[in-house]
């Protein structure tokens, strides 16, 4: 299952496909007892997708068989034992993808000429992803971090490894010329290569970077590094060979502190915007400004959800889930629209926005 949504991946997902490109979304659960319902619910929503394909007269028998095969293959790849809060399956002729999301989604099936990406975009924004680079003299490991976890990244040349055996070490030790581990030239080259490798990752997937390692290793990166020199340093050795849980325990206090600072900064910006009449609050007002590209900063409470429909004019009105023309993921639509127009998006704890009713924005003009 896929987790990390890069700009290049998003562009590829949004590429038009031959009709129909099938998007299947369903909420999932991380823990018992709620996750007991996930297998049945997933099978049912995939069955609904097949039913819609069967009923669509514009879908040929050959194409329908292809799509059914893609849906079945996607279903076989789903690992509900590691489910998060939502799941998206995309299928088109000759291809399929499965995405695990750290944000819940409405259950739905959409047949179109593009995949439905707004829920992926909103989930990525809400997760506040980051990288952790754990360095040691013989291994450099890259960790992909999210809201409450890290996982080892094994692409782009990571992990970097080397042998510490030096055939000339015994002679150097005899004559008192054996440098410390983080002062010898080979280690300098090794960590410089790691800096170059993570620079390439950050160009493709820009996000905050944290570096863990012994104090001597971090000092060396201060001297020779580029992006690693500028990153937040955490003096904690052993994590290059560590477990995801150990890495998470080491970085989570700093992540929590950074999130608190971010929330306080958002509150100040919203208060300032109120004073200068550049403030929008509530789903209808924010939606109108988002569609006009006027939102500079969007703040959304983490679990805010609302179902609406268009009243036939320029406003959104409350609706019930399942109503005709109901828009059950309007918040995710707003998030995607704001990101498309260059706005910053910040998710804040529930209740943080007070009378703003779950969603607020700072306007450009």
């Amino acid at each position: 299952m896929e987790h990390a949504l890069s700009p290049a991946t998003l562009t590829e997902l949004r590429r038009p496909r031959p009709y129909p490109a099938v998007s299947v979304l369903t909420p999932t659960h991380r823990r018992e007892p709620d996750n007991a319902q996930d297998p049945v619910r997933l099978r049912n929503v995939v069955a609904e997708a097949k039913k819609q394909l069967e009923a669509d007269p514009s879908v040929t028998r050959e194409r329908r068989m292809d799509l059914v095969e893609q849906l079945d293959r996607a279903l076989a790849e789903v690992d509900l034992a590691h489910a998060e809060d939502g799941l998206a399956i995309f299928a088109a002729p000759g291809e399929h993808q499965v995405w695990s999301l750290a944000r819940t989604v409405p259950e739905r099936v959409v047949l179109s000429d593009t995949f439905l990406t707004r829920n992926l975009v909103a989930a990525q924004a809400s997760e506040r992803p980051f990288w952790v680079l754990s360095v040691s003299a013989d291994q450099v490991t890259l960790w992909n971090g999210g809201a409450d976890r890290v996982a080892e990244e094994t692409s782009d040349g990571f992990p970097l490894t080397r042998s510490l055996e030096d055939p000339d070490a015994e002679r150097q030790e005899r004559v008192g010329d054996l440098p410390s581990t983080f002062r010898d030239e080979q280690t300098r080259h090794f960590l410089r290569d790691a800096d170059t490798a993570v620079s390439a990752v950050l160009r493709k997937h820009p996000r905050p970077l944290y570096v863990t390692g012994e104090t001597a290793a971090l000092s060396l990166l201060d001297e020779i590094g580029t992006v690693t020199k500028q990153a937040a340093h955490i003096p904690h050795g052993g994590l290059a060979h560590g477990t995801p849980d150990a890495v998470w325990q080491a970085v989570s206090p700093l992540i929590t502190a950074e999130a608190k600072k971010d929330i306080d900064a958002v509150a100040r910006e919203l208060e300032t915007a109120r004073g200068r009449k550049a403030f929008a609050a509530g789903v209808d007002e924010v939606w109108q400004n988002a569609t006009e590209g006027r939102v500079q900063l969007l703040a959304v409470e983490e679990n805010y959800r609302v179902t609406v429909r268009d009243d036939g004019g320029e406003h959104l009105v409350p609706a019930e889930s399942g109503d005709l023309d109901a828009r059950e993921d309007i918040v995710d639509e707003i998030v995607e629209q704001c990101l498309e127009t260059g706005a910053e998006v910040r998710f804040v704890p529930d209740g943080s926005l007070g009378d703003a009713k779950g969603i607020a924005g700072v306007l450009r003009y």
Side-chain angles (χ1 to χ4, degrees), residues 186-300:
Q186 287 144 328
T187 302
R188 292 173 68 90
H189 281 301
F190 181 60
L191 293 192
R192 191 176 288 117
D193 288 344
D195 182 85
T196 300
V198 78
S199 295
V201 171
L202 288 171
R203 282 195 296 273
K204 292 190 294 183
H205 307 281
R207 58 177 75 168
L209 174 66
Y210 301 88
V211 182
T212 74
E214 296 177 25
T215 302
L218 299 181
S219 296
L220 179 55
L221 288 174
D222 269 338
E223 179 186 342
I224 66 171
T226 56
V227 295
T228 51
K229 178 179 181 178
Q230 299 160 6
H233 286 188
I234 302 172
H236 191 307
L239 298 180
H241 298 275
T243 64
D245 184 61
V247 175
W248 173 250
Q249 293 301 322
V251 302
S252 58
L254 193 54
I255 300 295
T256 300
E258 289 295 320
K260 177 65 167 60
K261 285 168 55 180
D262 196 34
I263 292 164
D264 292 343
V266 168
R268 289 193 298 271
E269 288 196 53
L270 291 173
E271 193 59 36
T272 300
R274 281 182 187 268
R276 58 186 176 86
K277 311 294 187 196
F279 178 79
V283 67
D284 183 45
E285 188 176 339
V286 172
W287 169 248
Q288 291 180 57
N289 284 283
T291 56
E292 295 169 4
R294 296 182 61 199
V295 178
Q296 177 178 315
L297 168 68
L298 178 71
V300 184

Side-chain angles (χ1 to χ4, degrees), residues 39-283:
V40 173
R41 193 166 186 173
L42 176 59
R43 287 195 299 271
N44 287 345
V45 73
V46 171
E48 173 60 26
K50 294 177 181 178
K51 181 179 177 182
Q52 290 191 25
L53 288 169
E54 181 74 33
D56 191 332
S58 65
V59 181
T60 64
R61 180 177 180 275
E62 181 182 7
R63 180 153 294 176
R64 184 174 66 252
M65 291 176 63
D66 185 350
L67 287 166
V68 166
E69 180 185 354
Q70 298 299 331
L71 287 169
D72 286 340
R73 291 172 63 185
L75 192 59
E77 292 174 12
V78 173
D79 181 9
L80 289 175
H82 297 91
E84 296 178 279
D85 302 304
L87 190 72
I89 292 176
F90 299 136
E95 63 172 318
H96 68 275
Q97 296 187 36
V98 179
W99 286 83
S100 177
L101 310 181
R103 178 173 168 82
T104 192
V105 296
E107 184 171 291
R108 66 190 310 180
V109 174
V110 177
L111 273 59
S112 184
D113 58 358
T114 58
F115 294 137
L116 186 68
T117 60
R118 58 177 171 255
N119 305 98
L120 271 69
V121 172
Q124 181 85 346
S126 69
E127 195 172 32
R128 296 186 291 271
F130 58 90
W131 296 113
V132 180
L133 191 74
S134 295
V135 301
S136 68
D138 65 337
Q139 181 159 313
V140 178
T141 305
L142 183 64
W143 308 90
N144 187 346
D148 59 359
R149 62 164 179 15
V150 298
E152 185 177 352
E153 186 75 14
T154 56
S155 61
D156 297 289
F158 287 99
L160 277 69
T161 60
R162 71 169 186 139
S163 172
L164 290 181
E165 293 182 7
D166 184 350
D168 200 32
E170 187 177 339
R171 183 198 65 78
Q172 289 178 314
E173 190 170 27
R174 262 197 324 269
V175 300
D177 193 33
L178 182 64
S180 69
T181 306
F182 291 103
R183 289 177 52 203
D184 74 80
E185 196 59 33
Q186 287 144 328
T187 302
R188 292 173 68 90
H189 281 301
F190 181 60
L191 293 192
R192 191 176 288 117
D193 288 344
D195 182 85
T196 300
V198 78
S199 295
V201 171
L202 288 171
R203 282 195 296 273
K204 292 190 294 183
H205 307 281
R207 58 177 75 168
L209 174 66
Y210 301 88
V211 182
T212 74
E214 296 177 25
T215 302
L218 299 181
S219 296
L220 179 55
L221 288 174
D222 269 338
E223 179 186 342
I224 66 171
T226 56
V227 295
T228 51
K229 178 179 181 178
Q230 299 160 6
H233 286 188
I234 302 172
H236 191 307
L239 298 180
H241 298 275
T243 64
D245 184 61
V247 175
W248 173 250
Q249 293 301 322
V251 302
S252 58
L254 193 54
I255 300 295
T256 300
E258 289 295 320
K260 177 65 167 60
K261 285 168 55 180
D262 196 34
I263 292 164
D264 292 343
V266 168
R268 289 193 298 271
E269 288 196 53
L270 291 173
E271 193 59 36
T272 300
R274 281 182 187 268
R276 58 186 176 86
K277 311 294 187 196
F279 178 79
V283 67

